[in-house]
Amino acid sequence: MCQHHPQCPTADCSDREAAHTVAHHPEQGWSLLCNGVLLFEDTGELLPDGQIIAPHRPLASGRVITAA
């Protein structure tokens, strides 16, 4: 899907959020990355294969919030 050079990280890479944004809808709270990942404003993600990545916002203390 990615046409950038060098290519953006794929959806299964740990740095997948570094891919370029191809559609941004802040009024709806999501962005589509060129690797097919839907990135939500709460930092949750939906991968192209349907896998859900729980929100992982950092707290002010440096801890990370994750869903159980």
Side-chain angles (χ1 to χ4, degrees), residues 36-52:
V37 173
L38 277 174
L39 180 61
F40 297 96
E41 69 180 14
D42 68 355
T43 70
E45 301 170 22
L46 179 60
L47 304 185
D49 65 1
Q51 182 180 355
I52 297 169

Side-chain angles (χ1 to χ4, degrees), residues 6-18:
Q7 281 199 330
C8 293
T10 61
D12 58 348
C13 290
S14 61
D15 61 345
R16 63 184 153 260
E17 295 174 16

Side-chain angles (χ1 to χ4, degrees), residues 21-61:
T21 302
V22 295
H24 182 62
H25 293 277
E27 71 282 358
Q28 296 176 357
W30 61 271
S31 296
L32 175 63
L33 306 181
C34 69
N35 56 8
V37 173
L38 277 174
L39 180 61
F40 297 96
E41 69 180 14
D42 68 355
T43 70
E45 301 170 22
L46 179 60
L47 304 185
D49 65 1
Q51 182 180 355
I52 297 169
I53 306 297
H56 47 276
R57 290 189 251 201
L59 295 173
S61 65

